């Protein structure tokens, strides 16, 4: 895999679809924010030994990668159907399960009690940035 295009830098890049966009195009900001989230999820994954949690992270990263590809113009499914019904339902079920396992915070709290907790908190912040 090449990490550069060998075309020089004139302020443009191409999406997966071949469409040329300026490097400051909002679509690249969006893709980059999702990529940052995926990297942070990988970092959080590296900080835990809990297999139950590790099994959750990879499917989430796969969904994020699919979303990035879709935004960049790739056909991300076998039949061109870009729906996420099953994946979304699985994520919602995970949220329900883990919501029952933790006590909701009563006060504003600061991350950093553990490295893993801080890494997950960064995932939360990046997820909100992606939503915006």
């Amino acid at each position: 895999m090449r990490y550069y295009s060998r075309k020089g830098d004139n302020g443009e890049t191409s999406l997966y679809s071949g469409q040329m966009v300026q490097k400051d195009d909002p679509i690249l900001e969006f893709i980059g924010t999702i990529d940052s989230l995926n990297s942070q999820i990988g970092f959080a994954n590296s900080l835990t030994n809990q297999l139950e949690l590790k099994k959750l992270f990879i499917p989430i990263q796969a969904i994020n990668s699919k979303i990035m590809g879709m935004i960049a113009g790739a056909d991300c499914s076998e039949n061109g159907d870009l729906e996420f019904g099953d994946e979304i339902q699985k994520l919602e079920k995970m949220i329900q399960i883990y919501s029952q396992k933790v006590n909701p915070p009563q006060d504003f709290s600061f991350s950093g009690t553990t490295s893993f907790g801080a890494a997950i908190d960064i995932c939360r912040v990046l997820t909100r940035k992606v939503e915006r």
Side-chain angles (χ1 to χ4, degrees):
M1 174 180 201
R2 287 191 337 217
Y3 293 97
Y4 52 90
S5 66
R6 294 187 178 170
K7 294 180 182 177
D9 187 1
N10 59 1
E12 290 187 328
T13 190
S14 62
L15 299 175
Y16 185 87
S17 65
Q19 176 188 354
M20 296 301 291
V21 295
Q22 294 293 317
K23 288 192 175 184
D24 62 354
D25 191 292
I27 199 168
L28 293 179
E29 180 69 26
F30 188 34
I31 292 169
T33 303
I34 298 170
D35 193 28
S36 295
L37 172 59
N38 248 12
S39 294
Q40 184 62 36
I41 292 169
F43 179 65
N45 191 23
S46 76
L47 295 175
T48 185
N49 292 323
Q50 296 179 47
L51 293 178
E52 183 180 3
L53 292 177
K54 286 183 168 289
K55 289 178 185 177
L56 296 176
F57 294 135
I58 291 173
I60 292 169
Q61 287 178 298
I63 291 168
N64 286 343
S65 294
K66 186 175 179 181
I67 291 168
M68 285 189 294
M70 287 174 50
I71 294 165
D75 182 1
C76 301
S77 65
E78 295 173 1
N79 61 2
D81 183 7
L82 302 176
E83 296 198 19
F84 289 91
D86 290 341
E87 290 98 338
I88 298 300
Q89 288 176 355
K90 288 176 189 174
L91 285 173
E92 287 174 346
K93 185 171 181 143
M94 284 187 255
I95 291 168
Q96 289 172 356
I97 290 168
Y98 281 94
S99 293
Q100 294 171 359
K101 291 183 177 192
V102 297
N103 295 324
Q106 301 300 315
D107 298 316
F108 188 78
S109 60
F110 298 100
S111 61
T113 304
T114 66
S115 296
F116 177 70
I120 290 296
D121 200 40
I122 295 170
C123 291
R124 178 190 59 81
V125 170
L126 288 171
T127 299
R128 287 188 170 180
K129 187 173 183 181
V130 168
E131 289 176 327
R132 288 191 300 273

